[in-house]
Amino acid sequence: MTSNANTFVGAPAIAGMLYSAPADTADPTDATTPLPAIWAQLGAITADGIVRSGEPAVEAIKDAGNRTIRNIVTDHPMSYGLTFAEALNVDVLKELRGEGNVTVSADGKTITVGHVEGFISPARKYVIELEDFPNKKREIIKLAQAQSTGDVTYSAAAPGVVYEAVLNVLKPTDGTNVRVTEITEIDALVAA
């Protein structure tokens, strides 16, 4: 029997949708415990949300009669596409341009961003937080690199200044092949 209780709408959590931390940060173990302060909240994401993509590249092994006798996975890229809506969020700027390339004045009123040729962001850990009352979900990306993509348009027209980005998921260093973990807690928000 079908039930609408088994559906989930990926609405961002009120406190934020995407967080990042150094690669060696411990994984969250549930969907409700607040993330420790080491996790940077990366501000609002535009209405298109976060899109997970990834399809294995499969190569067929064929016999002399050109019949497929086995398929092997030769690669399995995975990535998350998104657009950061907060162009003045220092944590977003550091994520895309590098912590050492973003400085904030002592009074917090001036942000300086260096665009360094050939910069590749360090591998970090990410968490996506979603709520669909009364359920809560965390998707933990064990290791990924953020990459700024797309053009930046300076205009007064919508959507304003935004940063398109992709999180390229990497093989984890913990000895497993688990690159992403999803934790969903049913009725988690009822008691909150």
Side-chain angles (χ1 to χ4, degrees):
M1 174 185 269
T2 62
S3 170
N4 67 355
N6 290 328
T7 64
F8 191 90
V9 177
I14 299 300
M17 186 175 198
L18 183 64
Y19 296 79
S20 73
D24 61 353
T25 303
D27 288 356
T29 57
D30 62 49
T32 56
T33 302
L35 293 171
I38 196 159
W39 290 90
Q41 201 277 350
L42 298 178
I45 305 300
T46 61
D48 291 333
I50 298 175
V51 178
R52 180 178 59 198
S53 301
E55 192 171 307
V58 178
E59 185 175 322
I61 299 174
K62 298 186 179 254
D63 66 10
N66 202 30
R67 292 177 298 268
T68 300
I69 58 172
R70 185 173 177 190
N71 290 310
I72 58 170
V73 175
T74 58
D75 193 13
H76 193 168
M78 182 182 253
S79 63
Y80 291 78
L82 62 135
T83 303
F84 291 106
E86 295 183 18
L88 300 179
N89 184 315
V90 172
D91 288 323
V92 169
L93 296 170
K94 288 179 179 180
E95 206 67 36
L96 297 176
R97 299 291 170 217
E99 190 163 343
N101 300 322
V102 178
T103 57
V104 180
S105 63
D107 64 4
K109 294 184 178 186
T110 303
I111 303 169
T112 304
V113 180
H115 294 256
V116 178
E117 182 178 349
F119 172 76
I120 297 176
S121 68
R124 293 177 56 82
K125 190 169 285 192
Y126 294 88
V127 165
I128 300 169
E129 296 225 318
L130 305 167
E131 293 178 355
D132 185 13
F133 189 82
N135 308 317
K136 188 166 183 176
K137 178 178 184 170
R138 271 192 181 142
E139 188 154 332
I140 303 150
I141 305 166
K142 306 270 187 179
L143 199 62
Q145 287 179 292
Q147 177 185 350
S148 183
T149 60
D151 298 327
V152 176
T153 302
Y154 299 107
S155 170
V161 178
V162 297
Y163 297 115
E164 293 178 28
V166 64
L167 303 177
N168 292 305
V169 179
L170 307 171
K171 180 176 173 58
T173 57
D174 63 2
T176 72
N177 284 324
V178 178
R179 297 186 289 169
V180 174
T181 301
E182 296 179 38
I183 302 171
T184 304
E185 294 197 27
I186 310 302
D187 294 332
L189 299 174
V190 173

